[in-house]
Amino acid sequence: SDTYFRTVYSHFPFRLDGFIAGMFAAFLWRDEGTRRSLGRPLVATGLFWSGAGLLVSWAGLSTPVDFHVGLFSEVFQMSLLALAFGAMMLGLLGGSFGHKVFMSRPLRFIGLVSYSLYLTHGAVLRPSINTVLRVVPMNHPMLAWLLSLIPILFFGMCLSTVSYYVIEKPCIAWSRKSKAQSMGSL
């Protein structure tokens, strides 16, 4: 698994599935007629819950602690995730009920630190899984996966929050200040 993801999937051309799903969603949303159709409550809700269902199904049916790389994980897994997130995004843009869920304070905070979480999740992922696997027997992969989520989410949020406030937010402020100064000198 490590070899596959480091040598194949981590390289940009092999990650185009998510990029293409986002571009396709943006293309659909850009057209006024399609946007009107996607804004219908039944369509928006259907898209959101279809994507969420696909995401939950994937999470429940695959066990990330079983690091076997097979046809599904090589070919379809990430593309299905991209499709799920694209459908959810279009549903949210269309005004699905899920929009209210994502406006909750905890999820808005996760959105705020999400880039830092993306950058730092690798630092907690493997150590958390390895620690849980020392405690939980391998014949219970779903239990190991569920128990791995606790330290991954806790330490991931702690690390990303620190990263956001110590690195990302000051850099954003510096960038805005520099931009304002350069615009003022023109």
Side-chain angles (χ1 to χ4, degrees):
S1 175
D2 284 342
T3 303
Y4 168 74
F5 284 101
R6 271 194 229 128
T7 59
V8 177
Y9 190 73
S10 64
H11 299 289
F12 179 72
F14 299 104
R15 299 188 75 158
L16 285 176
D17 46 6
F19 189 67
I20 291 169
M23 285 179 23
F24 184 67
F27 176 77
L28 288 174
W29 190 253
R30 189 173 176 197
D31 180 65
E32 188 175 328
T34 306
R35 188 171 46 246
R36 233 185 340 259
S37 295
L38 293 172
R40 293 186 183 132
L42 186 61
V43 174
T45 302
L47 279 168
F48 176 78
W49 290 112
S50 296
L54 185 58
L55 183 64
V56 169
S57 298
W58 171 82
L61 295 175
S62 70
T63 53
V65 293
D66 176 19
F67 292 110
H68 172 72
V69 177
L71 180 63
F72 176 75
S73 58
E74 288 178 20
V75 179
F76 301 111
Q77 180 179 5
M78 294 302 172
S79 297
L80 285 175
L81 285 175
L83 179 66
F85 281 115
M88 288 177 68
M89 182 178 61
L90 284 172
L92 290 171
L93 288 170
S96 162
F97 169 76
H99 184 267
K100 292 177 183 171
V101 173
F102 281 89
M103 292 306 293
S104 69
R105 192 174 207 130
L107 289 181
R108 287 176 51 200
F109 179 75
I110 292 171
L112 180 70
V113 300
S114 64
Y115 184 67
S116 291
L117 183 60
Y118 164 70
L119 293 175
T120 61
H121 79 281
V124 298
L125 192 66
R126 180 63 70 183
S128 297
I129 291 172
N130 288 343
T131 302
V132 169
L133 287 177
R134 281 190 218 115
V135 178
V136 178
M138 268 312 284
N139 57 349
H140 297 290
M142 186 58 74
L143 178 62
W145 179 75
L146 289 171
L147 290 175
S148 294
L149 285 178
I150 297 167
I152 289 169
L153 293 174
F154 177 77
F155 291 116
M157 285 304 296
C158 289
L159 186 58
S160 63
T161 300
V162 168
S163 175
Y164 174 78
Y165 285 106
V166 172
I167 300 169
E168 187 177 347
K169 191 173 179 181
C171 286
I172 291 170
W174 175 78
S175 171
R176 287 184 179 151
K177 183 179 173 184
S178 296
K179 184 177 180 180
Q181 287 175 348
S182 68
M183 295 299 285
S185 66
L186 294 177

Short mmCIF file of all heavy atoms in Angstrom, two decimals, residues 73-97:
data_model
loop_
_atom_site.label_atom_id
_atom_site.label_comp_id
_atom_site.label_asym_id
_atom_site.label_seq_id
_atom_site.Cartn_x
_atom_site.Cartn_y
_atom_site.Cartn_z
N SER A 73 -9.05 -0.46 -5.17
CA SER A 73 -8.30 0.68 -4.65
C SER A 73 -7.42 1.31 -5.71
O SER A 73 -7.17 2.52 -5.69
CB SER A 73 -7.47 0.29 -3.43
OG SER A 73 -6.58 -0.73 -3.75
N GLU A 74 -6.94 0.54 -6.67
CA GLU A 74 -6.10 1.09 -7.73
C GLU A 74 -6.88 1.87 -8.76
O GLU A 74 -6.41 2.87 -9.28
CB GLU A 74 -5.35 -0.03 -8.45
CG GLU A 74 -4.25 -0.66 -7.64
CD GLU A 74 -3.57 -1.79 -8.40
OE1 GLU A 74 -3.69 -1.84 -9.64
OE2 GLU A 74 -2.93 -2.61 -7.75
N VAL A 75 -8.09 1.41 -9.07
CA VAL A 75 -8.82 1.98 -10.20
C VAL A 75 -10.02 2.83 -9.79
O VAL A 75 -10.22 3.92 -10.31
CB VAL A 75 -9.27 0.86 -11.17
CG1 VAL A 75 -10.04 1.43 -12.34
CG2 VAL A 75 -8.08 0.07 -11.65
N PHE A 76 -10.81 2.34 -8.86
CA PHE A 76 -12.12 2.97 -8.63
C PHE A 76 -12.26 3.76 -7.33
O PHE A 76 -13.06 4.68 -7.26
CB PHE A 76 -13.21 1.90 -8.65
CG PHE A 76 -13.28 1.15 -9.93
CD1 PHE A 76 -12.91 -0.18 -9.98
CD2 PHE A 76 -13.70 1.77 -11.09
CE1 PHE A 76 -12.96 -0.88 -11.17
CE2 PHE A 76 -13.75 1.08 -12.28
CZ PHE A 76 -13.38 -0.25 -12.32
N GLN A 77 -11.51 3.42 -6.31
CA GLN A 77 -11.74 3.98 -4.99
C GLN A 77 -11.71 5.51 -4.97
O GLN A 77 -12.67 6.16 -4.54
CB GLN A 77 -10.72 3.42 -4.01
CG GLN A 77 -10.88 3.93 -2.61
CD GLN A 77 -9.85 3.32 -1.67
OE1 GLN A 77 -8.96 2.59 -2.08
NE2 GLN A 77 -9.96 3.62 -0.41
N MET A 78 -10.65 6.11 -5.38
CA MET A 78 -10.53 7.56 -5.32
C MET A 78 -11.46 8.26 -6.30
O MET A 78 -11.96 9.35 -6.03
CB MET A 78 -9.08 8.00 -5.55
CG MET A 78 -8.14 7.55 -4.46
SD MET A 78 -8.67 8.17 -2.85
CE MET A 78 -7.56 7.32 -1.78
N SER A 79 -11.72 7.63 -7.44
CA SER A 79 -12.66 8.21 -8.40
C SER A 79 -14.07 8.23 -7.83
O SER A 79 -14.81 9.20 -8.02
CB SER A 79 -12.64 7.43 -9.71
OG SER A 79 -11.36 7.52 -10.29
N LEU A 80 -14.45 7.17 -7.11
CA LEU A 80 -15.77 7.16 -6.47
C LEU A 80 -15.85 8.21 -5.37
O LEU A 80 -16.89 8.84 -5.19
CB LEU A 80 -16.08 5.77 -5.91
CG LEU A 80 -16.47 4.73 -6.95
CD1 LEU A 80 -16.65 3.35 -6.29
CD2 LEU A 80 -17.76 5.12 -7.66
N LEU A 81 -14.77 8.39 -4.64
CA LEU A 81 -14.76 9.44 -3.62
C LEU A 81 -14.91 10.81 -4.27
O LEU A 81 -15.63 11.68 -3.77
CB LEU A 81 -13.48 9.38 -2.81
CG LEU A 81 -13.40 8.25 -1.80
CD1 LEU A 81 -12.03 8.22 -1.14
CD2 LEU A 81 -14.48 8.40 -0.75
N ALA A 82 -14.21 11.04 -5.37
CA ALA A 82 -14.31 12.32 -6.07
C ALA A 82 -15.74 12.53 -6.57
O ALA A 82 -16.29 13.64 -6.46
CB ALA A 82 -13.32 12.35 -7.24
N LEU A 83 -16.35 11.49 -7.10
CA LEU A 83 -17.73 11.56 -7.57
C LEU A 83 -18.67 11.87 -6.40
O LEU A 83 -19.57 12.71 -6.52
CB LEU A 83 -18.13 10.24 -8.23
CG LEU A 83 -19.55 10.15 -8.76
CD1 LEU A 83 -19.73 11.12 -9.92
CD2 LEU A 83 -19.83 8.72 -9.22
N ALA A 84 -18.45 11.21 -5.26
CA ALA A 84 -19.29 11.45 -4.08
C ALA A 84 -19.18 12.90 -3.62
O ALA A 84 -20.20 13.56 -3.36
CB ALA A 84 -18.88 10.49 -2.95
N PHE A 85 -17.96 13.41 -3.51
CA PHE A 85 -17.78 14.79 -3.07
C PHE A 85 -18.34 15.78 -4.09
O PHE A 85 -18.91 16.81 -3.73
CB PHE A 85 -16.32 15.10 -2.77
CG PHE A 85 -15.87 14.57 -1.45
CD1 PHE A 85 -14.91 13.58 -1.37
CD2 PHE A 85 -16.41 15.06 -0.27
CE1 PHE A 85 -14.49 13.09 -0.14
CE2 PHE A 85 -16.01 14.59 0.96
CZ PHE A 85 -15.05 13.59 1.03
N GLY A 86 -18.19 15.48 -5.38
CA GLY A 86 -18.76 16.35 -6.42
C GLY A 86 -20.27 16.42 -6.33
O GLY A 86 -20.87 17.49 -6.43
N ALA A 87 -20.92 15.27 -6.13
CA ALA A 87 -22.38 15.24 -6.00
C ALA A 87 -22.82 15.99 -4.75
O ALA A 87 -23.78 16.77 -4.78
CB ALA A 87 -22.87 13.79 -5.95
N MET A 88 -22.10 15.79 -3.64
CA MET A 88 -22.43 16.51 -2.41
C MET A 88 -22.28 18.02 -2.61
O MET A 88 -23.13 18.79 -2.16
CB MET A 88 -21.55 16.03 -1.26
CG MET A 88 -21.89 14.65 -0.75
SD MET A 88 -20.77 14.10 0.54
CE MET A 88 -21.21 15.21 1.88
N MET A 89 -21.21 18.43 -3.27
CA MET A 89 -20.97 19.85 -3.49
C MET A 89 -22.08 20.47 -4.33
O MET A 89 -22.59 21.54 -4.01
CB MET A 89 -19.62 20.06 -4.17
CG MET A 89 -19.27 21.51 -4.39
SD MET A 89 -17.66 21.76 -5.13
CE MET A 89 -17.84 20.92 -6.69
N LEU A 90 -22.48 19.79 -5.41
CA LEU A 90 -23.56 20.32 -6.24
C LEU A 90 -24.87 20.38 -5.46
O LEU A 90 -25.64 21.34 -5.61
CB LEU A 90 -23.72 19.46 -7.51
CG LEU A 90 -22.68 19.68 -8.58
CD1 LEU A 90 -22.82 18.65 -9.70
CD2 LEU A 90 -22.76 21.09 -9.15
N GLY A 91 -25.11 19.38 -4.63
CA GLY A 91 -26.31 19.40 -3.79
C GLY A 91 -26.28 20.55 -2.81
O GLY A 91 -27.29 21.23 -2.60
N LEU A 92 -25.12 20.79 -2.21
CA LEU A 92 -25.00 21.91 -1.27
C LEU A 92 -25.18 23.25 -1.98
O LEU A 92 -25.87 24.15 -1.47
CB LEU A 92 -23.65 21.87 -0.56
CG LEU A 92 -23.47 20.73 0.44
CD1 LEU A 92 -22.03 20.66 0.90
CD2 LEU A 92 -24.40 20.90 1.62
N LEU A 93 -24.56 23.40 -3.14
CA LEU A 93 -24.73 24.64 -3.91
C LEU A 93 -26.18 24.85 -4.33
O LEU A 93 -26.66 25.98 -4.39
CB LEU A 93 -23.83 24.63 -5.15
CG LEU A 93 -22.33 24.79 -4.90
CD1 LEU A 93 -21.55 24.52 -6.18
CD2 LEU A 93 -22.03 26.18 -4.37
N GLY A 94 -26.87 23.73 -4.60
CA GLY A 94 -28.27 23.81 -5.02
C GLY A 94 -29.23 24.10 -3.88
O GLY A 94 -30.42 24.32 -4.10
N GLY A 95 -28.75 24.10 -2.65
CA GLY A 95 -29.60 24.45 -1.51
C GLY A 95 -30.16 23.27 -0.77
O GLY A 95 -31.19 23.38 -0.10
N SER A 96 -29.50 22.13 -0.86
CA SER A 96 -29.94 20.94 -0.14
C SER A 96 -30.02 21.20 1.36
O SER A 96 -29.34 22.09 1.89
CB SER A 96 -28.95 19.80 -0.40
OG SER A 96 -29.07 18.78 0.55
N PHE A 97 -30.82 20.41 2.05
CA PHE A 97 -30.93 20.50 3.50
C PHE A 97 -29.55 20.34 4.14
O PHE A 97 -29.28 20.93 5.18
CB PHE A 97 -31.87 19.42 4.03
CG PHE A 97 -31.82 19.29 5.53
CD1 PHE A 97 -32.44 20.23 6.34
CD2 PHE A 97 -31.14 18.24 6.13
CE1 PHE A 97 -32.39 20.12 7.72
CE2 PHE A 97 -31.08 18.13 7.51
CZ PHE A 97 -31.71 19.08 8.29
#
